[in-house]
Amino acid sequence: FDLSVKVEKILEYLNKRLPSLGKKVELLNDIDPDIKINGNGSLLAWAIENIIRNGIDAIERDDGQISISLKQVNNIVKIQIHDNGIGIPKKDWKNIFRPGFSTKKSGWGLGLSLCQRIIKEVHKGKIYVLDSKINNGTVIELTIPNK
């Protein structure tokens, strides 16, 4: 399937929903066209949307921004989701992927653990915190092999 088209559709959907979330967040698109991969499109779309929604939740300012980058370098597809939210303390960079771990007042703490399973087990890829600074945002990176 064409992952570029799938990610663009996620952004269109979320852009329509942003006003109802009560957040002033701009979604920035840095998606290379025509990146086709073999995989489960529905699960991958859910995982990417979940990470973007976490970014939206982490933004507590009026000039919120989330940029989504999708590139293919050699046989690796890289997806970076960068928000300018509250950030993740370094000690929690690995914890956020543990089932039941959450810093939110509501929720089960299962979203990122499911994302990790979708990326690692279904698509043989990796998901991790590339960078995060308190009050300055977070970059989550997904890498998926694509031969």
Side-chain angles (χ1 to χ4, degrees):
F1 66 93
D2 190 325
L3 183 59
S4 304
V5 169
K6 184 107 27 209
V7 174
E8 297 221 4
K9 286 189 170 151
I10 294 167
L11 294 181
E12 282 173 31
Y13 168 76
L14 288 173
N15 259 322
K16 287 180 191 154
R17 302 259 314 133
L18 277 171
S20 69
L21 298 174
K23 298 263 187 168
K24 289 184 179 155
V25 177
E26 182 182 13
L27 298 178
L28 305 172
N29 174 338
D30 184 20
I31 296 170
D32 283 356
D34 209 36
I35 296 179
K36 294 183 174 59
I37 70 167
N38 290 318
N40 185 316
S42 298
L43 287 177
L44 206 48
W46 181 88
I48 293 166
E49 181 181 333
N50 186 275
I51 295 164
I52 295 170
R53 282 176 175 268
N54 280 349
I56 292 168
D57 290 346
I59 293 172
E60 296 178 343
R61 56 205 290 167
D62 286 338
D63 61 343
Q65 280 190 336
I66 296 182
S67 68
I68 295 88
S69 166
L70 173 61
K71 311 278 178 215
Q72 180 157 339
V73 182
N74 300 320
N75 291 334
I76 302 289
V77 172
K78 281 190 177 188
I79 304 161
Q80 285 188 354
I81 299 160
H82 184 173
D83 68 61
N84 64 349
I86 58 174
I88 302 166
K90 182 97 174 161
K91 68 180 177 57
D92 288 332
W93 285 17
K94 290 208 180 346
N95 289 334
I96 62 168
F97 299 105
R98 264 195 10 247
F101 181 85
S102 181
T103 58
K104 297 178 187 178
K105 289 179 178 73
S106 65
W108 295 82
L110 296 175
L112 287 175
S113 67
L114 288 173
C115 289
Q116 185 179 49
R117 286 187 64 191
I118 290 166
I119 302 305
K120 284 176 102 171
E121 294 174 23
V122 179
H123 295 93
K124 307 298 179 225
K126 295 179 184 159
I127 179 173
Y128 48 89
V129 178
L130 183 65
D131 191 29
S132 189
K133 293 182 176 54
I134 299 303
N135 299 320
N136 209 15
T138 299
V139 182
I140 301 284
E141 183 168 85
L142 294 72
T143 57
I144 300 171
N146 190 31
K147 293 177 175 92

